[in-house]
Amino acid sequence: RLAVYNLIGLKCRELWRGSLASGDYNFYWDGRDREGRRLSPGVYFVMFEVESGVTRAQKFVFGW
């Protein structure tokens, strides 16, 4: 699972959920929440979780 969260830990949007074969992938986030609303510029986290429960997080600054 790959999702974007805000600073207080609320999930803004899920970008991918499912299985992928080994390899490199690119995912695009348009800065909108799951309802299509533009989110405010600021700091967000991308969280990547695998089946085993291992989670990786990457902080980024988003701005229009």
Side-chain angles (χ1 to χ4, degrees), residues 1 18-20 48-55:
R1 180 172 32 195
S19 298
L20 294 170
F48 176 67
E49 183 180 345
V50 296
E51 286 180 12
S52 65
V54 175
T55 303

Side-chain angles (χ1 to χ4, degrees), residues 6 13-14 31 34 44 53 60 64:
N6 64 17
R13 186 159 176 194
E14 192 166 80
R34 63 182 139 239
Y44 291 87
F60 69 97
W64 286 101

Side-chain angles (χ1 to χ4, degrees), residues 17-63:
R17 178 180 222 145
S19 298
L20 294 170
S22 293
D24 294 330
Y25 295 90
N26 292 306
F27 292 91
Y28 173 77
W29 178 50
D30 61 3
R32 297 178 186 277
D33 67 10
R34 63 182 139 239
E35 272 125 63
R37 298 176 294 221
R38 289 174 101 181
L39 293 174
S40 301
V43 178
Y44 291 87
F45 293 90
V46 173
M47 303 285 284
F48 176 67
E49 183 180 345
V50 296
E51 286 180 12
S52 65
V54 175
T55 303
R56 303 269 185 209
Q58 178 67 48
K59 180 174 79 170
F60 69 97
V61 178
F62 171 73

